[in-house]
Structures are given as structure tokens and as C-alpha cells.
Amino acid sequence: MTEVTVKKGSIVDVVKLSMQIPEFHQPHQENEYRLRLEDTPHLIAIAFSKNAAVGFKVGYQRENDGSFYSWMGGILPDFRRKGVARLLADYQENWARQQGYHTIKMKTRNRLKPMLYFALGNGFNIVKVDQRESVEENRIHLEKQL
């Protein structure tokens, strides 16, 4: 695999990448990112291969409990199962640790099995499930101690 590097990025980078992630039926637009990230500590991490963006991870401080919320992320299909998600997760966790956070929190949906498998394999624990009308849309809350 070509070398992949991770750097801080922008909302514009993330929105452009989101449009290329097939699982995102209605990707968030710039205004939603600005609403969540404005005036709060946050991180936008972008994975690059040969100067092209191939994945991202966005998180922010959602609560004042020492946790960092890993909100959105995605990898272009051609770059999946090649370690890109792990690089982005490691980057985010190291950054969060340096900022003084002690927990990473995230949510995923039951239908997004690869994300669920990745989180569990990366040390996250399921702490809660929000039931929805369709079991595939259940929200699974996960946490990882740093």
C-alpha cells in the first residue's frame, strides 16, 4: 500500500470526502459541522495518500466530563482494510490524550457493522443502545478509556 499520512484538515475537506462515502445517504453539510465544532475544542484529521484525501475523522468536546466525542469518520472504499482507519483513530486518540481527555466516546448504527467491529477491536466497549423503530438503525454507544 502507498504510504498514508494524517494531518489536521478542514470542514471543506471533510464535506468533500463525505460525498464519496457510500454509507452516508445524506452527508452532513458545512453548516452542521460549523454548528457542532464552533466554539468548542475539536479535531479534524484527514488521511492522505499521494496528496489525495482518502479518509477522515472528526471529533469534538461534547460534554464537560473529560471525554472527547468521536463524531464522524469515513474511508474511501478503495482504501478500506488497509490500516487507514487505525491511523486516523491513533492520531485522534494521541491528540485527545495530549489535550487531557481520558475517554473517547462514539456512536454507530447497527447497520454499520464494519464500524462496530472496528471499534470493538480497537478497545471500545458498548455502554448503551438506543432502540429505534428498525433494529438496523439502533444507536450503539461506545467508550474507550485512554
Side-chain angles (χ1 to χ4, degrees):
M1 183 176 117
T2 309
E3 184 180 336
V4 175
T5 57
V6 178
K7 300 186 263 191
K8 289 184 180 179
S10 72
I11 291 172
V12 172
D13 295 329
V14 170
V15 170
K16 196 187 287 186
L17 270 168
S18 292
M19 304 301 261
Q20 301 172 65
I21 306 291
E23 292 82 1
F24 295 168
H25 303 291
Q26 295 178 321
H28 295 300
Q29 298 302 308
E30 277 188 53
N31 60 337
E32 182 65 25
Y33 282 93
R34 292 195 192 294
L35 182 69
R36 289 183 187 239
L37 304 180
E38 197 170 57
D39 300 325
T40 190
H42 65 274
L43 175 67
I44 299 172
I46 308 288
F48 291 90
S49 175
K50 295 183 181 178
N51 295 322
V54 299
F56 71 95
K57 198 150 192 59
V58 177
Y60 62 97
Q61 182 177 315
R62 190 172 168 177
E63 302 168 25
N64 281 328
D65 62 355
S67 70
F68 188 74
Y69 181 59
S70 183
W71 174 43
M72 291 295 297
I75 311 294
L76 296 180
D78 288 348
F79 289 87
R80 293 179 185 172
R81 303 193 60 75
K82 295 181 179 178
V84 177
R86 171 74 60 200
L87 284 173
L88 286 164
D90 289 348
Y91 187 93
Q92 184 182 70
E93 289 173 19
N94 289 333
W95 180 89
R97 207 177 282 109
Q98 290 170 0
Q99 304 306 308
Y101 297 102
H102 57 74
T103 307
I104 299 273
K105 294 181 179 183
M106 64 171 286
K107 285 190 284 189
T108 191
R109 296 175 192 217
N110 222 8
R111 68 178 167 81
L112 300 173
K113 300 278 192 280
M115 186 66 230
L116 184 57
Y117 297 148
F118 176 79
L120 293 171
N122 195 28
F124 279 81
N125 292 301
I126 296 171
V127 295
K128 179 180 163 187
V129 176
D130 293 336
Q131 303 277 325
R132 301 292 186 193
E133 193 170 307
S134 163
V135 71
E136 290 295 306
E137 293 302 316
N138 284 355
R139 302 311 196 268
I140 301 168
H141 298 249
L142 300 109
E143 291 183 9
K144 178 180 182 176
Q145 298 301 310
L146 295 177

